[in-house]
Amino acid sequence: MGFLTGKRALVVGVASNRSIAWGIAESMAKQGCEIALTYQNEKLKKRVDKCAEVCNSNIVIQCDVSSDDSINKTFSELKQHWDNFDIVVHSVAFAHRSQLDGNYVEVTEREKFAQAHDISSYSFTALAKSASPMLNENGALLTVSYLGAIRAIPNYNVMGVAKASLEANVRYMAAAMGPEKGIRVNAVSAGPIKTLAASGIKDFGKLLDYAADSSALKRNVTIEEVGNAAAFLCSDLASGITGEVTYIDSGYNFYDKGPDL
Ligand code: NAD
Ligand code: 0WE
């Protein structure tokens, strides 16, 4: 019997079968979890429908996390299928393309800074707020971060500042949601993976090779590995873990190659 048997999860952020959200949904489904998926817009619906089929789900709902109205509609539609549920996965980030290439101070603009924070950090709080009335005791929320939250990584720019906000958000949400219903809130911080969000990034191939070479395991991570860790963190096996950021990065974050001796 899987370690998520009897649980229900809403997964936000599937765009294709390469998405980290898909690695998470698939791993959770393999552990016996019932899954509901959302898609951002009509362009992505077909691909998300296919993913839903694979994880045996018939709940596919449109959700644009930049709109409170869209978020609220998502949960009223979800209520037509489920009275209550256990897990929310947030695997969403966005910054305008112009913000992710060049000198941070030169390229960053006020409105695009706000947009990146709105979609990449606030939306996790917004989902929690809307989900809260339907969330079961001992439920779990999970988001996906990146090392750029704590290190200044070239070109990651405002996304790094937004991920720092997201990781602080995890701690404040954990503090707010733990006491009453025992809801846990965690993040996984994934190493670089070639997804749709990564495909637009200049020299991403070089970054992947550098990350593998600079890691303890000398390789990149997969969406399955991130998915398995996420499934664990959202399960009762992780009942003592909340407010944490867990690195799924082949050990890149702590590893130092040292000089050639
Ligand atoms: P992806 O393109 O597959 O997923 C990004 C998702 O964000 C898409 O499903 C997209 O529809 C969604 N999204 C963007 N704006 C939205 C909005 N307004 N409303 C609803 N959905 C919206 O790429 P991914 O790499 O799987 O990204 C998922 C998460 O993983 C992101 O938070 C990203 O920062 C994080 N992450 C990615 C990597 C990587 O190297 N790929 C590494 C660490 C963390
Ligand atoms: O979080 C991310 C990327 C998120 C992302 C990607 C895009 C591309 C398309 C957010 N917004 C957009 N906007 C677009 O228009 N990652 C962790 C992957 C990533 O992106 C980088 C990285 C890494 C790693 C950008 C620069 C440097 C490293």
Side-chain angles (χ1 to χ4, degrees):
M1 212 168 76
F3 60 68
L4 287 170
T5 301
K7 303 274 191 190
R8 294 168 169 161
L10 176 71
V11 179
V12 178
V14 177
S16 77
N17 60 4
R18 294 184 146 200
S19 292
I20 292 173
W22 172 240
I24 296 172
E26 197 173 27
S27 176
M28 286 182 164
K30 278 186 183 154
Q31 293 303 329
C33 197
E34 280 182 68
I35 306 289
L37 298 180
T38 71
Y39 60 97
Q40 183 187 355
N41 53 45
E42 293 307 315
K43 272 189 293 191
L44 299 173
K45 182 173 191 299
K46 264 206 182 134
R47 281 204 290 242
V48 179
D49 278 336
K50 212 167 261 166
C51 289
E53 219 178 282
V54 175
C55 64
N56 256 321
S57 165
N58 61 350
I59 313 176
V60 182
I61 305 170
Q62 199 255 329
C63 182
D64 183 332
V65 299
S66 66
S67 152
D68 286 333
D69 188 50
S70 176
I71 291 175
N72 287 329
K73 280 185 179 146
T74 298
F75 287 100
S76 36
E77 199 175 329
L78 187 63
K79 203 156 175 65
Q80 297 171 11
H81 299 269
W82 293 344
D83 247 5
N84 50 65
F85 69 111
D86 305 284
I87 294 165
V88 180
V89 175
H90 170 274
S91 182
V92 169
F94 183 80
H96 191 277
R97 177 172 297 276
S98 66
Q99 306 297 286
L100 299 176
D101 186 13
N103 179 286
Y104 173 64
V105 173
E106 287 170 10
V107 303
T108 307
E109 297 169 57
R110 189 186 299 271
E111 268 187 24
K112 290 169 182 150
F113 182 102
Q115 178 189 43
H117 283 71
D118 182 30
I119 298 177
S120 312
S121 178
Y122 175 69
S123 64
F124 190 36
T125 314
L127 286 175
K129 198 195 273 279
S130 241
S132 183
M134 285 174 72
L135 272 182
N136 290 329
E137 283 198 7
N138 304 321
L141 311 189
L142 183 113
T143 188
V144 185
S145 192
Y146 177 59
L147 187 64
I150 60 160
R151 291 207 202 154
I153 293 176
N155 299 320
Y156 199 60
N157 294 355
V158 71
M159 267 311 309
V161 187
K163 290 300 194 191
S165 162
L166 178 67
E167 292 184 4
N169 213 341
V170 164
R171 293 183 284 272
Y172 276 89
M173 287 166 62
M177 300 180 80
E180 230 177 85
K181 282 207 282 183
I183 291 171
R184 298 179 301 103
V185 186
N186 290 291
V188 287
S189 181
I193 300 176
K194 197 160 169 48
T195 61
L196 278 184
S199 69
I201 307 298
K202 203 172 69 180
D203 294 328
F204 198 78
K206 275 192 196 163
L207 185 96
L208 278 173
D209 291 345
Y210 177 80
D213 190 54
S214 314
S215 73
L217 296 177
K218 297 286 172 244
R219 62 173 178 83
N220 293 124
V221 294
T222 64
I223 60 167
E224 288 77 16
E225 291 176 314
V226 178
N228 287 338
F232 160 73
L233 285 169
C234 292
S235 78
D236 294 338
L237 291 175
S239 55
I241 305 176
T242 193
E244 289 291 329
V245 179
T246 302
Y247 286 83
I248 322 296
D249 67 347
S250 301
Y252 179 93
N253 73 91
F254 68 78
Y255 187 73
D256 189 324
K257 228 172 16 176
D260 283 330
L261 295 173

